[in-house]
Amino acid sequence: MNIEQFVESKSAAAVEALFGARDAVVQIQKTRKEFAGDYTLVVFPLLKASGRGPEQTAAAIGGWLVANVAEIEAFNVVKGFLNLSLSEAFWAARFAEIATDANFGHHAPSGRTVMVEYSSPNTNKPLHLGHVRNNLLGWSVAEILKACGHKVLKVNLVNDRGIHICKSMLAWQLFGGGETPASTGMKGDHLVGKYYVEFDKHYKAEIKELVAGGMDEEEAKRQAPMILQAQEMLRRWEQKDPEIYALWERMNGWVYDGFEKTYAAMGVDFDRTYYESQTYLLGKSLVDKGLAAGVFFRRDDGSVWVDLEADGLDQKLLLRSDGTSVYMTQDLGTAYQRYEEYRFDDLIYVVGNEQNYHFQVLKLILSKLGNAWADHITHLSYGMVELPEGKMKSREGTVVDADDLIAGMVATAHDMSQELGKLDDATPEQADAISRMVGLGALKYFILKVDPRKTMLFDPRESIDFNGNTGPFIQYTHARIRSVLRKAAETGVSRDATGATPLPAEVELIKQLTDFPGVVAAAGENFSPALVANYVYELAKLYNGYYHDHSILREENAAVRAFRLDLSEQTGRVIASAMALLGIAVPERM
RNA sequence: GGUUCCGUAGCUCAGUUGGAUAGAGCAACAGCCUUCUAAGCUGUAGGUCGAGCGUUCGAACCGCUCCGGAAUCACCA
């Protein structure tokens, strides 16, 4: 039982004892910091039961609680709000619990298996800023769900087949001149991306030429030789043409090497990777089953559709007229395979909100095919990352590349640390490690502190801040705490805090610490790392204020000093574990 | 046009199921290092919570209408 529930149950008991109301609505919230007290009971809903005014009702309940509940020490009434203060001893006991709980913040096993899909890259171009948000979110949500006690499977789905892959393959075949990552020194995903752009360039030129020759533009888009060749390549691929297959494997291999480096740099990982090329056939067979069952229908041209108009949606294509599969086809297959393999309780797709419609349809189709587990699919629909001028557009060269972004952040962190003289005593290896930690910390925190559902803005011209509500601010607070603890250990001061009672400022810190498990739970329920980010920022801010106002090592009372060290240590520990849920490492010094 | 989402300080964002005088950071201005890390701390200034109506003892939050923005409604993924 958490503290809020404790206060709530005692308040309910008071209401029953005083007014005889059994199931009155007892509303407990944290007391706002401008008022005295720890928890506040809002008495307005209780006025009917009490038959008195707000002040009298609040005073009566407050009096009863102080008289009958040892932990509740004092109360005050402001309008209809009853502010309750818990005793120092109560908070000291809570702190002792935290200090002895090695798993503080992590919940007991729930018995549920949750699969989280994230990343899901296409193998025709390198990762960009949008993917960065996806990867950081997915990884963090998975860690948070683990902390909530679930068994979590992080899975990736590589979109390694399809017309878009054939485009870069074709362009490389036509214009590549045998270039490889080794021959060019380019990262494989970037090299392949270059040919995807190359395809588009030539395709556009062909369309232009056809239109100039008098063809309708839509027709030109369909008839341009580049697109016809790409479509032919996809058919040959689905027929497992050895030449096309070999080319496909070769170029995808380059991309995987590149992705691996980017994933490593971001610090994300997966328990299992699915490939669309290995699930689309299963998807096709599901379409056949659905056809046989009358859930889907075939048009005269041979294409297969599902009619969702009765559900307020449209008709949706499941197989093209030439028999090749589309996105939905393989997603059906992938979902099936996953359920067969893991029997998950929940499946969470971390995918951008531009695909809301797709997932609505996916769930509906899986339901129509008779799968009860379709109800346990959640689309964690996150907002786009926008630039000041709007969406990233590859045509206008405004795409923020993930590798460049990460390297830039680390370089900025290095410069700044140097400028501040923070690296003076560090070896080059230590300096690199710190710069990496701080640069990545700034980037990750910047992205994760925003509510996932919301569109967020990133201005590449202004570097991400290192002061204020930022990752480095929190990392700094941790480094500061570790520094004090190091000095304490070096001088061998007593760590016996027996007899020390917390000051009001210390109670505030303890209160914030006790909130951590609840925040983790809420973050898990809402799939929102932002809740953890905002929590740990508040904690760091609170600690910095405390640190400023109270000296620790210079405190002369040994027990008080020891208590402050304990409080600092636990704060540092919670900062580290909250940041770990965000995938952000915290340094010992910076 | 249909569906979904969003609109809070100059900028970027918080605001937990409806609760007290709507909060941070950045930017601006004024202070604080002979003292445990100043990537810090304190203060000043900055708001018609897009607009209106309604429900309620009480609305940034719930409902309706409008305004503005985004996504989507592809034989792309």
Side-chain angles (χ1 to χ4, degrees):
Chain A
M1 180 153 75
N2 67 35
I3 303 169
E4 223 158 290
Q5 286 164 343
F6 167 75
V7 176
E8 192 177 304
S9 70
K10 294 299 177 190
S11 301
V15 170
E16 188 175 347
L18 291 165
F19 313 125
R22 269 179 179 281
D23 23 283
V25 184
V26 180
Q27 241 186 83
I28 297 293
Q29 56 196 260
K30 273 185 241 168
T31 302
R32 293 175 66 108
K33 60 171 179 277
E34 58 264 39
F35 300 98
D38 299 319
Y39 289 91
T40 295
L41 172 67
V42 184
V43 302
F44 294 110
L46 303 171
L47 300 186
K48 251 186 204 154
S50 75
R52 304 188 218 173
E55 264 94 7
Q56 294 86 338
T57 305
I61 298 171
W64 190 94
L65 286 170
V66 170
N68 292 284
V69 181
E71 292 85 350
I72 298 177
E73 200 175 50
F75 75 92
N76 66 81
V77 178
V78 181
K79 292 193 257 177
F81 299 88
L82 169 63
N83 301 319
L84 301 164
S85 299
L86 297 167
S87 65
E88 276 171 12
F90 174 83
W91 290 115
R94 297 290 79 70
F95 179 68
E97 284 171 8
I98 294 170
T100 51
D101 181 355
N103 264 324
F104 182 64
H106 292 249
H107 294 77
S110 67
R112 292 185 80 78
T113 297
V114 183
M115 182 179 278
V116 180
E117 177 194 302
Y118 70 99
S119 201
S120 316
N122 295 331
T123 57
N124 61 342
K125 51 190 169 195
L127 271 31
H128 59 65
L129 179 55
H131 297 111
V132 173
R133 189 178 195 190
N134 178 300
N135 281 280
L136 298 181
L137 254 181
W139 192 89
S140 179
V141 164
E143 291 303 309
I144 288 166
L145 291 171
K146 274 188 208 169
C148 289
H150 308 309
K151 180 169 182 258
V152 177
L153 291 152
K154 289 182 265 196
V155 302
N156 194 356
L157 171 64
V158 182
N159 293 292
D160 60 344
R161 59 156 293 283
I163 190 74
H164 57 299
I165 308 297
C166 292
K167 288 177 180 177
S168 40
M169 284 161 59
L170 177 68
W172 183 84
Q173 211 176 38
L174 294 175
F175 317 112
E179 268 191 4
T180 67
S183 77
T184 56
M186 269 176 97
K187 216 163 146 272
D189 49 340
H190 289 263
L191 181 70
V192 171
K194 178 179 144 190
Y195 285 100
Y196 187 68
V197 172
E198 200 68 16
F199 172 91
D200 204 52
K201 220 171 77 188
H202 286 87
Y203 177 42
K204 290 248 168 64
E206 287 179 356
I207 293 171
K208 207 172 164 187
E209 202 175 309
L210 288 172
V211 170
M215 192 182 279
D216 172 74
E217 184 168 346
E218 288 308 309
E219 187 63 14
K221 279 184 186 167
R222 281 191 295 267
Q223 297 299 331
M226 288 294 287
I227 194 71
L228 292 177
Q229 287 178 79
Q231 283 164 351
E232 172 60 17
M233 197 178 245
L234 179 60
R235 279 189 293 272
R236 283 173 68 189
W237 182 88
E238 290 209 4
Q239 290 155 12
K240 296 232 158 90
D241 179 310
E243 186 199 338
I244 301 302
Y245 227 73
L247 174 64
W248 172 75
E249 281 180 332
R250 187 176 185 207
M251 290 182 71
N252 271 351
W254 297 344
V255 174
Y256 297 144
D257 286 345
F259 283 173
E260 218 164 282
K261 287 185 185 124
T262 309
Y263 285 146
M266 283 191 290
V268 303
D269 56 12
F270 304 93
D271 298 306
R272 170 96 158 83
T273 297
Y274 291 87
Y275 297 89
E276 186 184 322
S277 58
Q278 292 167 12
T279 60
Y280 81 102
L281 289 175
L282 176 56
K284 279 185 164 186
S285 74
L286 291 172
V287 172
D288 288 341
K289 270 189 204 159
L291 263 176
V295 181
F296 309 142
F297 68 95
R298 194 187 289 278
R299 284 189 185 168
D300 294 341
D301 63 5
S303 57
V304 178
W305 298 73
V306 60
D307 186 351
L308 302 173
E309 282 170 343
D311 301 281
L313 303 173
D314 299 302
Q315 298 195 345
K316 188 81 186 168
L317 177 80
L318 299 173
L319 273 184
R320 294 193 187 96
S321 51
D322 68 0
T324 57
S325 60
V326 291
Y327 185 38
M328 187 60 74
T329 325
Q330 64 79 19
D331 242 2
L332 288 170
T334 308
Y336 250 84
Q337 189 176 335
R338 286 172 175 171
Y339 189 72
E340 290 307 312
E341 285 177 7
Y342 294 104
R343 301 282 156 170
F344 51 76
D345 295 297
D346 292 289
L347 170 58
I348 294 152
Y349 287 92
V350 181
V351 178
N353 61 16
E354 57 198 349
Q355 292 188 34
N356 288 351
Y357 184 73
H358 173 80
F359 282 99
Q360 219 179 328
V361 172
L362 177 67
K363 280 187 71 166
L364 205 49
I365 293 178
L366 286 168
S367 284
K368 282 181 184 294
L369 289 172
N371 306 291
W373 50 267
D375 293 338
H376 295 276
I377 289 177
T378 303
H379 174 205
L380 170 45
S381 165
Y382 65 89
M384 300 287 99
V385 183
E386 290 192 348
L387 306 175
E389 50 281 337
K391 280 191 77 172
M392 287 188 281
K393 294 199 177 95
S394 46
R395 264 173 302 155
E396 291 162 28
T398 57
V399 174
V400 178
D401 177 73
D403 296 319
D404 293 348
L405 179 62
I406 292 167
M409 289 303 300
V410 173
T412 306
H414 188 90
D415 293 348
M416 188 163 295
S417 303
Q418 199 122 51
E419 229 170 85
L420 291 168
K422 302 284 185 182
L423 302 177
D424 295 352
D425 302 326
T427 65
E429 292 75 33
Q430 287 169 335
D432 285 349
I434 290 170
S435 305
R436 226 186 97 70
M437 233 184 249
V438 173
L440 271 170
L443 176 62
K444 290 184 177 188
Y445 186 86
F446 178 83
I447 287 173
L448 291 176
K449 76 170 176 177
V450 181
D451 183 335
R453 296 171 305 131
K454 291 194 175 175
T455 302
M456 65 174 290
L457 191 120
F458 175 80
D459 189 346
R461 287 182 299 266
E462 281 180 42
S463 57
I464 292 174
D465 263 309
F466 287 73
N467 301 316
N469 188 357
T470 66
F473 168 89
I474 298 160
Q475 290 173 316
Y476 174 77
T477 308
H478 180 265
R480 207 177 210 190
I481 288 170
R482 299 305 304 171
S483 171
V484 174
L485 291 168
R486 257 193 320 271
K487 286 223 160 69
E490 280 163 15
T491 54
V493 299
S494 160
R495 294 297 299 265
D496 182 1
T498 310
T501 52
L503 300 169
E506 290 163 343
V507 167
E508 288 308 308
L509 260 173
I510 294 170
K511 275 155 79 172
Q512 182 72 8
L513 291 174
T514 60
D515 283 344
F516 185 46
V519 169
V520 172
E525 279 160 32
N526 296 299
F527 307 118
S528 178
L531 297 179
V532 175
N534 288 309
Y535 164 80
V536 70
Y537 170 63
E538 285 300 325
L539 178 61
K541 202 155 60 108
L542 212 50
Y543 183 83
N544 277 323
Y546 170 72
Y547 177 92
H548 182 264
D549 296 339
H550 301 82
S551 42
I552 298 167
L553 295 173
R554 294 197 314 141
E555 167 59 42
E556 286 176 7
N557 181 313
V560 169
R561 183 176 59 221
F563 176 73
R564 290 180 182 179
L565 284 166
D566 286 348
L567 187 55
S568 299
E569 185 168 4
Q570 295 311 318
T571 302
R573 194 164 70 101
V574 171
I575 287 175
S577 74
M579 291 292 262
L581 294 178
L582 304 176
I584 302 174
V586 288
E588 288 295 308
R589 56 188 93 218
M590 66 183 270

